[in-house]
Structure formats: C-alpha cells, structure tokens
Amino acid sequence: MSNSGNPNSSDPAITSQPTRLTGAETLWATMVGEGVRDVFGYPGGAILPAYDALRKFPIRHILVRHEQGAAHMADGYARASGRVGVAVATSGPGATNLVTGIANAMLDSIPIVCVTGQVSSKVLGTDAFQEVDITGITLPVTKHNYLVSRTEDIAPALREAFRVAQSGRPGPVLVDITKDAQQNSAIFDFEAAAPAPYRPHPMLRADSTSIREALDLLRTAKRPVILAGHGILHSRAFEQVRTLAERGQIPVACTLLGLTAFPASHPLNLGMMGMHGESWVNQAIQQADVLIACGMRFDDRVTGALATYAPNAKKIHIEIDPAEINKNVRVDVALIGDLKEVLETLLPLLPKRDGAPWLDAISAMKGDAAVRDIQQLPDNGHLYAAHVMHDLWRETNGDAIVVTDVGQHQMWEAQYYKHDRPHSLITSGGLGTMGFALPAAIGAKVACPDREVWVVAGDGGFQMTSPELSTIAQENLNINIAIVNNGYLGMVRQWQEFFYDKNYESTPLLSPDFVKLADAHGIHGAHVRKRGEVISTVQAARKHDGAFLIDFHVEQEDSVYPMIPAGAALHEMIRRPAGNPLVETASKA
Amino acid sequence: MLHTFVALVEDKPGVLTRVASLFRRLNINITSLTVGNTEREEISRMTIVAEAAEDRAHRIMASLYKLENVLEVDDVGRHSAVVRELALLKVVCTPETRADLFQLAEVFHARIVDLAPESLMLEITGSASKIEGLVQILVQSNHKILEMARTGRMAMRRGHHTSRVVEALSDITPGSESVLAGKPKHVALDLIAEEDHA
C-alpha cells in the first residue's frame, strides 16, 4: 500500500473552505474529501443523525443485512480496489456485530474504516440503552481506534483514521462518534483537519550493509526460492518481484494471500506453499539454500514444524513490519521497509544468474504431476470440487475476481483456479472467517462493477451470511455464486477423518435448497450434479444478466490433498491416495 | 532477562490501556510501570519493566512502536543509564529500636519522613538492589515492616541522549517551553554519585 497520500480522489466543492456544519454533515463531508464514494452500513439510534444527513452527499450507501456483512464488504471493497473500505453501524449490537469483520481485516492487513454511533457523551459509561465500549472491545483487533465526543474532533479523527488505515502495514481503524457530537455544530475545515504526516516505523532498516549481505547470499545461492506474500499486493511490487525472479532465475512459491502477486502462468511460479501446497513446492522450500521472503510472515500454515523448516536455507526477509522479523522463523538478513523500495534498491545490483540446474531439479520433483491436466481425466460419474474449480477457471479465462469462503473449497480454488491478475483472489487468510465470501464479493462488485465476480463458498460458510442475498437483490448486483455443496462442514470432516478416527461429530450438515433460497430473493439458480453439466451451467450463469447461483452437489467425502498435518514438517505430507480419482499419471494426461 | 523500556507517549485517555494490552496479549507480566509528565506538556513518559527473552524484547519494542500513540521507545538496559525507584516503608519503631533504625536510615541515605509513637516511615531512593538491601537488613534485624510502597523503576540514559521526538518537536515549535531549550547539550548530568555508596 502506498504511503504517500490517498489514492482516493477528493471533491473540491465540499472541502474548499471552512463552513459551519453539524457533526453528521462533517462526517460525510470528510469522507467525500477523503475520496469515499461507497459505504456499507446499517442504521440505528445512535447513528441516526449521520443517516439523516447522508442524502446531501454524493455517497452511495449499501444497506446490509447484518453488520458483519458491512465489515466484510468494506474489506472486499478494499481488496478489489486498493481504496479504503468504509463500514457504518450503530452503537451496541451494531458495533459488536462488526467485530468479526474487523478482526478479519486486521489479520489480513486490509485498510478499512469503521464508523460507529455511540450514546450521547453525557451518558457515556452508564450502561445506557445500546451502549457498549466498542473502542475497548476492538482495541486488540484494530490498528487504531478513536472515541470522538466533540463535533470539532470528528474531521481530524476521521482524516487520521484514513491515513492510519492505509499507511505502513495497512489495517482496520474504528471511529466511534457520540450522538451529541453528530448533532452539534462546529466549523468544518477539511484542510485544517489534515493529519500529521505518516511517520515510518523507526525500526525500518534496509541499509547498504544488509543489502550487501542479501546480495552476497543471492549471488552464491544454488537453490534459491522466492516466498511471495500479500505484501507484494500492498506494496504494488509486482514488477520488482518479477524482475527479481527472472533476472535471478529464481522459482517463486506463493502464500495463499500472495497467490495473485505473481502470475500463475509464469514458468517460474511453483504454486502455493504450505499445508495444502503441492509436494514439489514444499520440497523446494525444504531443499533451498536461500529463501527470499517478500512481504510474508511465516505463518504456521506455511511453515509446518518450525524446528524442521527449510533447515539448510539462509533466510532473507523483506518486510515492512519490524515486529514480524524473527517472530516465527529466525532470519539471516532482514530488510525492513516497503518491499517495492527495498527491491528497487537491490535489483540494480543483482547480477543475472543461471538457474537451470535448480529449476531442472524442481521439474524432476514434479515428475508426473508436472503435466497434470485434470480436464483430461475420464468422467467416472462423480462430481469433484476440483473439476468445478478447474472448469470455472477455464470458462472465465482466469479473468474473474473470485471471492472464496473458508474451508476445503477455498483450498481447491487455490489449487485449481489459476490467477494471473493481481487482486483477483479475495479470501480470508489469517482469521479464516466462514461467511466471508458473499459479503466480501458484494464489496468487490461495488468497487469494480465492470469485473466478473464469483463467490465460491461451501454449504456451511454460505449459510453464515446468506441473508446478504437480499442485499444483492436490492442493489441489483451481477454476482455469480458457486456453492461447493458436500453436505458436510468439509474441512472439519477431513480433520476428523485424518486425525479423529472418522468420528464425524457435528459435521454432517443439512442445508436448504439453495436454488429455491436464491429464487426467494428473485435470484436465478441451478443445481449441478454431474460433471458434464458444469461448463454449460457456468456459461448460463455468465450469460445471465444479473446474479446467478449454482449449487454444485459434489462428492461428499472428498479431501484436500496434499496435506501437511498441523505441526508436522513441511515434507511430511499426506499425498493423494492411490484410489483418488484426481491422481493421474503422465500417460493418462 | 529483565528489560526496562522507556516509552514516550501522547498524553491522551486510553494510551495506558493500549500499552498494557500489548503486554497482556504477549502473556508477559509487567514487573513495574511508572507513568508521569515530561518536559513536554502533551507527552507522558512510561517506564515499563518486564521479564522477557532477548527476541521477545525486540518484538515488544517493535510492537510498542506500532501503537499510534507511542512516539518513541528505548530499551535503556542496552545503554548506560541512571535507574532509580522510590520506596516508602512503614516500620514498627519503639524507643528501644529507634536508634538502630536511625542508623540504618543514615547508612542507606534513607530519610525519615514520619515519626509516630509506634512506627516511623522511611523514604528511600535508589536502585532496586539498594532498596532490597534495606528491606533485607530490616527483616534480618527483626524490624517489622508494616507497609511498603514502591514506585517501580524510572530510568534515563546517561550522557547526551535526548529523545529524537522531543528534539524534533522543539525544532518545529520555536519558543516553546521545552526545558531543553538553551541548555548546553553536551553536559552530562550525572548527579548521583551517592548511588555507589549504598
């Protein structure tokens, strides 16, 4: 994320000269000044003055069905557009309903600003109706938050909130505004309310010594691997990472959130690393002698057991947050700063190198799997989620924004939908929030109305936020929805199968007829039960003008392979069993 | 290892909670914490003492800096610093034990700040070990401590090291009330030779 200035454009008419405004008007005027065009919210008592003033401002308000949805929509909006997403809610339950969405944005470093109404300053702390200490509650899950009880403080707090949300390592910010602060009047002066300039973290350090150390490691590396993370998207360092990979002939492994940071079709892209990464990706990391971690944080889902993680590799960590250095994995060279800036310093000094021996060795590890094309596998009468994802990728030319929920379908999407465009996968990585997909997709569609948007969700997660179908209907949004329906809370069932003796306790799941549910919202839909129906139904959904829901009834007890059991070493993975229909040999392909 | 962090923070409501919450989240017990005014009206100074391994200390520092209200952090244990705390001790004191207590107070440079028929109050300033030394002697000499209050550590680096933040603020607000203004910067104020005494 850029540190300088707001990429949003501001409206000069409202922000040109000081005017006397109510707090409610100040709130929206400041947002307009910050370039906000769309907000996601739900009105209520303590935020009513703000809603009363909303009509006067050029801001589109999307009414959600639950405040968690508002936070996820702001999140999806931010991820799709690079702009700050905004969610609005009332005090008390409105505010607490935001919390999951805020935590989700925190764990994935997404810039959103949440505005909540608060009871009048005179009754703060008295357990007044719908009063809750939301700044206290959200303290550990926001980058920063504000309690504003004076009208004149609204604009400065809000402007600072926008600055904080998108500077450095981005994150969610909450601004809690008392009802009387919204009702009272004060002079609104947009320019005077400008926040202090962004202060880079004082522990940033990418000096010539550490750059030289990194270069020395890269120069002599025989088996280097780039670990591409979410920070590449935030820093917009696509070109730099690509140059690093190409000039050094260095293979690239991606984290889940870094999947769109490097084109899937690039010959140097190995694919996703970690718990459900393909074997050769994790083997390459385990055998590497130098790892160049770019904007990633060595999460437990990508490292496996730390004691055995990449034992022979020297680690170079390029990261903007000093608190991430040596947190999980001890690194040899830390380049602490904005990824793009660090790489721009480093790249001119990086000589070309011959990567052929190492790339050949990785190709050998891929073996048969390297030529896998599950498209060619014979139809055995079963519908596998992998085929659904694969066909969806082919039919959409890999060009859609895919917004996933959390679970098996999320991993299958990551494995079988090949993303070549940055920001084209929106998924809940850090918090793993079921129910994220549908609202986040609404946010993405509002941000990018001209892009094709697909929700990919499981039958479990979809039901957590399915009332947002109403929001899609009311806003008339053209969003396609693919439900990967296996009648189980699939990933939990998979863990029960592997680690709990197939004790499927509380994972079989009854769902409504999702097509009828869609129909009840005036949304078209179709069931798919056979592999042969996948492509034609996807085509129908794409052709249809308006939202379309497809309920894919897939194999019930399929599992995501490969899998590294939690706490095991990266190379100790559970491979696809021989009988798995997705196992194929080169000759079959 | 015991670390002493000095944090300059904005003097605003809720800042203490944010700092304390950071330690809570890392499951680190705060040994002592003092907060007070500084030479700048809008800045408070926190001295936080906590037990933490070296790599955790780095993370604490980096995480403290991530708080929007934190302006500067120093791990003063890494540098030569003056570290002091203040303690008040209420001790049982009878006419028979009074002379001994007065003598102990003198040796430890403690002051007697209250004298009642059956007790007296000692005020002692110094390093933690000096205070603990006095406590130990009192206990071993069978003086009964009725009450003890300790402030926890305060620390300041020796020599000419001033906060970059305060310096920067002084630069941009000419004529401000900074006590640094006009003082020769090279003077190392080392006024506490008595420390070696105890």
Side-chain angles (χ1 to χ4, degrees), chain A residues 296-536:
Chain A
M296 55 84 75
R297 58 186 176 92
F298 294 105
D299 179 80
D300 53 82
R301 286 296 187 267
V302 308
T303 60
L306 288 171
T308 51
Y309 180 71
N312 305 315
K314 298 278 185 193
K315 286 128 193 150
I316 302 167
H317 196 181
I318 314 177
E319 166 61 46
I320 197 164
D321 181 356
E324 292 294 347
I325 304 297
N326 293 331
K327 187 179 80 175
N328 298 335
V329 170
R330 186 150 283 282
V331 297
D332 299 275
V333 181
L335 298 170
I336 315 173
D338 178 74
L339 179 65
K340 190 174 184 171
E341 288 170 22
V342 171
L343 285 179
E344 276 174 353
T345 317
L346 187 134
L347 285 174
L349 306 166
L350 183 75
K352 282 195 173 175
R353 61 180 282 288
D354 173 23
W358 173 225
L359 294 173
D360 291 346
I362 294 174
S363 293
M365 280 192 269
K366 285 186 187 176
D368 291 349
V371 289
R372 165 185 317 167
D373 185 351
I374 66 169
Q375 185 73 15
Q376 306 302 325
L377 290 177
D379 188 345
N380 61 2
H382 297 268
L383 179 59
Y384 286 90
H387 288 297
V388 175
M389 293 305 134
H390 195 262
D391 288 346
L392 187 61
W393 165 60
R394 282 175 181 259
E395 284 307 308
T396 57
N397 303 312
D399 223 20
I401 295 178
V402 183
V403 187
T404 82
D405 221 75
V406 170
Q408 287 185 315
H409 69 275
Q410 180 188 28
M411 292 300 114
W412 281 314
E413 198 283 347
Q415 290 177 341
Y416 293 99
Y417 196 106
K418 310 293 178 192
H419 291 274
D420 276 347
R421 286 178 72 161
H423 302 286
S424 63
L425 169 60
I426 293 175
T427 190
S428 167
L431 195 66
T433 312
M434 286 173 70
F436 173 75
L438 189 63
I442 293 172
K445 187 68 185 178
V446 171
C448 305
D450 300 330
R451 293 286 300 275
E452 179 178 357
V453 174
W454 277 85
V455 172
V456 173
D459 42 335
F462 185 76
Q463 290 185 70
M464 284 197 173
T465 50
S466 57
E468 301 300 345
L469 284 172
S470 288
T471 309
I472 291 179
Q474 183 164 353
E475 297 295 328
N476 202 16
L477 297 169
N478 185 357
I479 294 173
N480 292 321
I481 300 162
I483 298 177
V484 178
N485 186 347
N486 56 12
Y488 281 100
L489 301 176
M491 189 57 96
V492 184
R493 185 211 59 75
Q494 175 171 343
W495 280 57
Q496 288 172 331
E497 177 188 338
F498 289 3
F499 313 119
Y500 294 89
D501 298 327
K502 291 197 178 187
N503 178 18
Y504 294 164
E505 176 56 53
S506 302
T507 40
L509 177 74
L510 182 74
S511 295
D513 182 324
F514 289 119
V515 176
K516 281 188 180 160
L517 182 70
D519 188 50
H521 291 87
I523 293 170
H524 288 250
H527 292 282
V528 171
R529 293 190 168 81
K530 294 196 186 82
R531 194 175 142 195
E533 300 164 359
V534 174
I535 289 176
S536 59

Side-chain angles (χ1 to χ4, degrees), chain A residues 135 139-140 142-146 160 163-164 167 169 199 201-203 321-327 330 336, chain B residues 10 12 14 17-18 21-22 24-25 55 58-59 61-72 164-165:
Chain A
T135 45
L139 189 138
T142 48
K143 196 174 164 193
H144 194 53
N145 63 24
Y146 302 83
E160 191 172 280
R163 199 263 285 145
V164 170
S167 55
R169 180 178 180 173
R199 275 184 299 129
H201 195 298
M203 289 163 78
D321 181 356
E324 292 294 347
I325 304 297
N326 293 331
K327 187 179 80 175
R330 186 150 283 282
I336 315 173
Chain B
E10 290 177 285
K12 285 181 180 170
T17 312
R18 292 175 197 277
S21 180
L22 192 154
R24 174 191 57 75
R25 199 193 155 190
D55 55 333
H58 169 88
R59 227 181 121 207
M61 223 166 126
S63 305
L64 279 169
Y65 265 126
K66 281 167 72 174
L67 300 176
E68 283 299 314
N69 303 114
V70 172
L71 304 168
E72 188 161 345
R164 291 191 306 272
V165 171

Side-chain angles (χ1 to χ4, degrees), chain A residues 246-265:
Chain A
E246 286 172 356
R247 189 174 305 159
Q249 284 299 297
I250 306 170
V252 179
C254 298
T255 67
L256 175 66
L257 292 185
L259 273 180
T260 68
F262 196 75
S265 60

